[in-house]
């Protein structure tokens, strides 16, 4: 009876045998199309220009299409020009207008070439899907140019293009076709964590993702830090501001998100105005005293708030974050792991040695105002809601397991158990519990005590020893600022990073997340691959791919390259090595692309088709249901409806 009721509901959309049969034929045909191209990026870290360029060029996918189509027909310079037009149509058109006296001839040539590229990009999709992707202003015209055969209707096609140019629509049309090519080249974008921090423009990246046609996000540790700040966790808020100050990015807070830093700045000048704040100078941009003072002021507030949070959550086992209690203020030393270290900075004007974790009235007022600002920033909340709605801590997609950090393991390579509210979780159950806590802490704020525990756990995810996003035993923030002895700066990675070179460990992880280890892969972000030291992004006999995108300029000297991206299309998996991006201006003026090279190409024996994907399984289920509806119509169980 329940199945019959479902079929009756289905019959409202497919009203008779003809409509049902047509849909079955359509879906069955779609199953045999090549799978769409998936594009994997990770660790973008606020580098908007480099990110958007990689997004526009599809990690070299568009240039690859141009090369195949025009291999012997265009010069290298002409191919470069065509690629740049597809990436930046408006800017490149402006540049051409300045120097070209015959724009009509140039526009016709470019439009014809763009249509050729678009035809190739559209081949793996149904006409219906391509039409839905078309910019509405030129939908009919693009459709005609794509699907009419030139030999049959050459005059007709020439007239369309000539008319586009004569009525001064060439710029708009070139933009529309370029956008369509980019959209058809990449069917789905996966951002495997860390959109925020270090770089200057994470808000612009989020604006870009808001408009992207098909995207998912696997949260990184820096993303969760901002989610925690947006949910009102004071330790997360202090960390966010500290990192922005460290990289001279307070404009993100003040101008992009409307966070009022004036009370903090006034407080910083009052207490640290005569302090050189030598260890708090900016790592990027113009160094100035006020930013260094803000940096130190919020750092001390952070150490206090984290200490208090650790005290009320002994289950976190993070008493090392109560470090202000371990300072001998009169001697200028601190005890860590039963060893005493000399402080390089003894100026703590707001710390009471008798009660070092207590916030002063001014600090309390400042952090409360900042909390209100973060929770009431309309744009920030919009971005974080999008990240939550499009995101998850992990994703199973087309036999790939995506996550940002690590799967916590012990020294024997076994899954670590973590106690949350008296229940032990590990592996997939731990990840599922984390996701539940994150969503509940942000969207459902009804029970004060439970809300407080959930918000505290968001901070734990930033720096707790069993956090899959952090992946280390301890975060040495205080130590790096205040102790010169570098041996205490060391943060030990979770054993996971030792075991990911072992195929059996990766297969165990894939099985834990309900994937077939013989055909599946792990796609992992978070850790830069140090190519200079001989490291490879390919681990465990191609069971795991480490694709830290290396967008952050701070890591280029360490890694030797700008990182890796991954392309998964109907032919197989490609890992792409990226060279550092120079500038958008140079890309437009000189056609300077991000130099990319294929590091690994794992080709499948046959083309991967839609039927082999997760969407294919869903479509097959729909076909099975429609076939049952067809039987119900033919046997009279359900009456056909008149059209």
């Amino acid at each position: 009876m329940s199945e019959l009721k479902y079929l009756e509901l289905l019959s409202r959309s497919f009203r008779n045998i003809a409509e049902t049969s047509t849909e079955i034929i359509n879906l069955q045909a779609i199953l045999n199309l090549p799978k769409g191209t998936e594009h994997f990026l990770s660790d973008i870290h606020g580098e908007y220009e480099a990110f958007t360029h990689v997004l526009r060029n599809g990690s070299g996918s568009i240039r690859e299409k141009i090369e195949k189509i025009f291999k012997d027909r265009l010069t290298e310079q002409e191919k470069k020009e065509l690629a740049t037009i597809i990436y930046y149509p408006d800017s490149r058109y402006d540049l051409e207008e300045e120097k070209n006296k015959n724009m009509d001839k140039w526009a016709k040539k470019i439009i014809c070439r763009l249509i050729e590229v678009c035809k190739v990009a559209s081949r793996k999709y149904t006409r219906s899907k391509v039409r839905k992707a078309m910019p509405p202003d030129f939908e009919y015209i693009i459709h005609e140019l794509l699907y009419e055969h030139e030999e049959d209707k050459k005059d007709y096609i020439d007239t369309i293009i000539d008319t586009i140019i004569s009525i001064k629509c060439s710029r708009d049309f070139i933009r529309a076709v370029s956008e369509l090519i980019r959209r058809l080249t990449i069917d789905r974008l996966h951002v495997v964590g860390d959109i925020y921090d270090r770089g200057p423009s994470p808000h612009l990246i989020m604006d870009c993702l808001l408009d992207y046609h098909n995207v998912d996000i696997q949260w990184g540790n820096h993303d969760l830090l901002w989610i925690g700040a947006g949910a009102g966790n004071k330790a997360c808020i202090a960390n966010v501001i500290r990192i922005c100050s460290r990289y001279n990015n307070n404009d993100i807070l003040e101008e992009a998100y409307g966070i009022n830093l004036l009370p903090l700045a006034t407080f910083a000048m009052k207490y640290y105005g005569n302090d050189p704040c030598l260890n708090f100078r900016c790592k990027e941009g113009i160094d100035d005293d006020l930013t260094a003072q803000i940096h130190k002021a919020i750092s001390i507030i952070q150490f206090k708030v984290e200490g208090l949070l650790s005290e009320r959550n002994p289950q976190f086992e993070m008493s090392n974050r109560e470090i202000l209690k371990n300072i001998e203020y009169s001697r200028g030393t601190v005890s860590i792991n039963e060893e005493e270290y000399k402080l390089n900075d003894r100026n703590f004007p707001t710390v009471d040695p008798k009660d070092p974790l207590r916030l002063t009235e001014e600090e309390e007022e400042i952090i409360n105002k900042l909390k209100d600002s973060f929770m009431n920033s309309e744009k920030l909340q919009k971005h974080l809601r999008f990240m939550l709605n499009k995101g998850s801590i992990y994703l199973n997609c087309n036999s790939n397991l995506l996550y940002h950090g690590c799967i916590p393991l012990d020294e024997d390579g076994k899954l670590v158990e973590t106690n949350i509210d008296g229940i032990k979780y590990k592996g997939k159950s731990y990840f599922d519990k984390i996701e539940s806590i994150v969503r509940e802490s942000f969207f459902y704020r009804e029970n004060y005590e439970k809300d407080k525990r959930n918000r505290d756990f968001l901070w734990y995810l930033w720096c707790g020893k069993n956090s899959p996003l952090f992946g280390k035993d301890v975060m040495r923030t205080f130590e790096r600022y205040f102790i010169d002895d570098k041996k205490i700066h060391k943060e030990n990675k979770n054993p996971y990073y030792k075991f990911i070179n072992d195929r059996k460990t990766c297969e165990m992880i894939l099985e834990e997340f309900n994937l077939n280890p013989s055909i599946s892969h792990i796609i992992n972000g978070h850790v830069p691959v140090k190519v200079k030291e001989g490291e490879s992004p390919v681990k465990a006999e191609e069971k795991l791919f480490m694709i830290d995108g290396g967008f952050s300029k701070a890591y280029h000297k360490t890694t030797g390259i700008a990182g890796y991206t991954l392309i998964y299309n109907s032919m197989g998996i490609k890992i792409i090595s990226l060279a550092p991006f120079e500038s958008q201006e140079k890309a437009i003026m000189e056609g300077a692309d991000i130099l990319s090279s294929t590091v690994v190409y794992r080709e499948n024996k046959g083309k991967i088709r839609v039927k082999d994907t997760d969407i294919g399984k869903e479509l097959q289920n729909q076909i099975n249901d429609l076939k049952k509806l067809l039987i119900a119509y033919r046997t009279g169980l359900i009456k056909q409806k008149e059209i």
Side-chain angles (χ1 to χ4, degrees), residues 257-268:
Y257 289 132
I259 307 296
N260 183 11
L261 295 183
L262 183 59
L264 176 61
T266 304
F267 171 84

Side-chain angles (χ1 to χ4, degrees), residues 17 27 58 90 95 107 120 129 150 152 190-191 218 248 330 390 399 487 492 528 537 562 573 617 626:
I17 289 174
L27 295 179
D90 282 315
L95 192 65
V120 171
K129 181 166 181 174
E150 287 187 23
D152 298 332
H190 304 283
V191 180
Q218 290 71 59
N248 209 2
S330 59
K390 288 288 184 178
S399 297
K487 72 179 182 182
N492 298 305
I573 286 177
K617 292 170 187 173
L626 288 165

